[in-house]
Amino acid sequence: MTRPDDDPTRAARLARFQPLSGMAMPRFAGLASLMRLPVLTPKEAVAEPIDIGLFGIPFDSATTNRPGARLGPRGVREQSALMRLVNHATGVCPYELCACADLGDVPVNPADVVDTLARIEAFTAPLHAAGLTLLAIGGDHLVTYPLLRTLGRDAPVGLIHIDAHSDTTDSYFGGAKLTHGTPFRRAIEDGVLDPKRSVQIGIRGTLYARDERRWALDQGIRIIEMERVIAQGLPAVVTEARAVVGAGPTYLSFDIDSIDPAFAPGTGTPEIGGFTSREALFLVRGLRGLDLVGADVVEVAPPLDPSGTTALVGATFAFELLCLLAEARARRRG
């Protein structure tokens, strides 16, 4: 199958997959899609083919505190209408580099966690096999687990995980192995995530036990707690994170609760003392040049923030991640 990477009509293809311009239709009008991009079914995306598929995972049945992230994709879609074309800080226009489209939502089963995980894999596996880069909007953080299973099936990937929580707990209430606090432990156990090429940034908050993060540290995960971020400064943290993941394929997972609730209150498990939205932008932009093969934004819960601010933060970081993924794909294309 011919990919856009070597398609002689690439320029024409890119021209077809541009966001709806705010100069043609006001940004508050029209049907909502991620970044105002054209909407394709997964089968259409593979047949077209496109480079980067954006999609939603409207699922929060694995959350252990406040629900609401099932409405994250819808809220982010609406707020993403405020994103324009060019990243003012980096100069990147992802739509000049890659053909992108909104592929809709995974048809989740809100009453069955195990079935939903299987559905996410079934949705993403053909896209990955066809060579698409994936950018997912959750949903609670358990949705990252099947995404890692898809991307790490042939070889484990590295991880940059920006979050307030390590999400490497073994179980909840003594037996629940599949919650939004367990995805990275399950991924490591499955051999799809390389713990020695994994770094968690911004970790903070109270613990159930003093040794709660011991398992993650024993596996080789680098945990940069928020106190160390403050003590060392963001440039040092960026340098350390880049060194941990190195030049290999890496996944980037951005939990909205990494942001202080003063800036993003609409999330299930808020923790004070987090990043300002400006600091998080600096952090994410510092990851340019890594071999990023997929990404997600999770735990946006619009019902917990009727102002829409948290969804706007989520949409903004989705755009930032799209810029990183587009640049990484363009580098692999050479």
Side-chain angles (χ1 to χ4, degrees):
M1 178 182 295
T2 301
R3 296 294 308 155
D5 309 66
D6 47 27
D7 190 340
T9 62
R10 179 172 185 78
R13 189 177 300 276
L14 288 175
R16 289 179 53 205
F17 290 97
Q18 292 294 308
L20 177 62
S21 171
M23 298 298 181
M25 172 76 77
R27 289 183 291 163
F28 54 81
L31 297 178
S33 68
L34 288 165
M35 309 303 165
R36 307 194 90 191
L37 285 164
V39 178
L40 300 178
T41 67
K43 288 185 178 180
E44 290 170 337
V46 170
E48 189 57 44
I50 63 166
D51 297 308
I52 301 177
L54 297 79
F55 59 96
I57 310 179
F59 180 79
D60 65 6
S61 299
T63 190
T64 59
N65 197 37
R66 304 187 298 176
R70 65 181 60 189
L71 296 177
R74 181 168 294 182
V76 170
R77 275 192 175 88
E78 292 176 354
Q79 294 296 334
S80 73
L82 292 173
M83 301 303 108
R84 300 183 182 88
L85 301 179
V86 180
N87 188 313
H88 90 98
T90 65
V92 174
C93 175
Y95 317 110
E96 292 176 350
L97 299 173
C98 294
C100 308
D102 184 336
L103 309 188
D105 287 346
V106 176
V108 302
N109 180 347
D112 191 324
V113 173
V114 174
D115 183 40
T116 290
L117 299 184
R119 288 167 178 252
I120 296 170
E121 282 195 64
F123 185 97
T124 57
L127 301 172
H128 178 60
L132 274 71
T133 298
L134 306 179
L135 174 54
I137 309 298
D140 69 49
H141 218 150
L142 184 61
V143 304
T144 303
Y145 172 43
L147 296 172
L148 290 171
R149 282 179 54 86
T150 291
L151 272 66
R153 181 171 289 119
D154 296 327
V157 296
L159 173 71
I160 291 181
H161 172 204
I162 303 171
D163 200 334
H165 311 101
S166 176
D167 293 346
T168 51
T169 303
D170 183 41
S171 62
Y172 190 72
F173 262 73
K177 298 280 190 177
L178 298 173
T179 78
H180 68 162
T182 66
F184 301 108
R185 187 164 184 147
R186 300 287 90 87
I188 290 169
E189 291 171 345
D190 287 357
V192 296
L193 175 62
D194 183 353
K196 292 180 173 56
R197 290 188 54 242
S198 296
V199 58
Q200 300 180 323
I201 307 171
I203 309 302
R204 63 189 191 279
T206 54
L207 304 171
Y208 285 112
R210 288 187 179 87
D211 63 351
E212 187 174 309
R213 296 170 189 155
R214 175 49 50 194
W215 186 89
L217 293 169
D218 287 346
Q219 307 311 304
I221 294 177
R222 186 76 57 86
I223 297 180
I224 305 177
E225 295 175 328
M226 198 66 205
E227 290 74 13
R228 187 147 69 90
V229 174
I230 295 169
Q232 295 184 348
L234 283 169
V237 169
V238 168
T239 299
E240 183 175 354
R242 296 176 67 93
V244 170
V245 299
T250 300
Y251 189 87
L252 200 165
S253 185
F254 188 94
D255 189 322
I256 205 70
D257 69 29
S258 64
I259 305 290
D260 192 278
F263 301 90
T267 190
T269 311
E271 302 283 359
I272 70 163
F275 291 108
T276 67
S277 50
R278 181 174 57 204
E279 289 168 339
L281 284 172
F282 179 95
L283 173 61
V284 169
R285 289 169 181 166
L287 303 176
R288 294 180 72 190
L290 297 178
D291 187 22
L292 297 177
V293 295
D296 63 52
V297 175
V298 297
E299 299 284 0
V300 174
L304 301 176
D305 180 11
S307 73
T309 299
T310 306
L312 174 60
V313 174
T316 302
F317 280 95
F319 178 77
E320 294 287 336
L321 298 187
L322 179 60
C323 291
L324 296 181
L325 293 173
E327 281 193 300
R329 187 176 178 100
R331 282 191 303 274
R332 290 193 293 271
R333 189 167 62 237

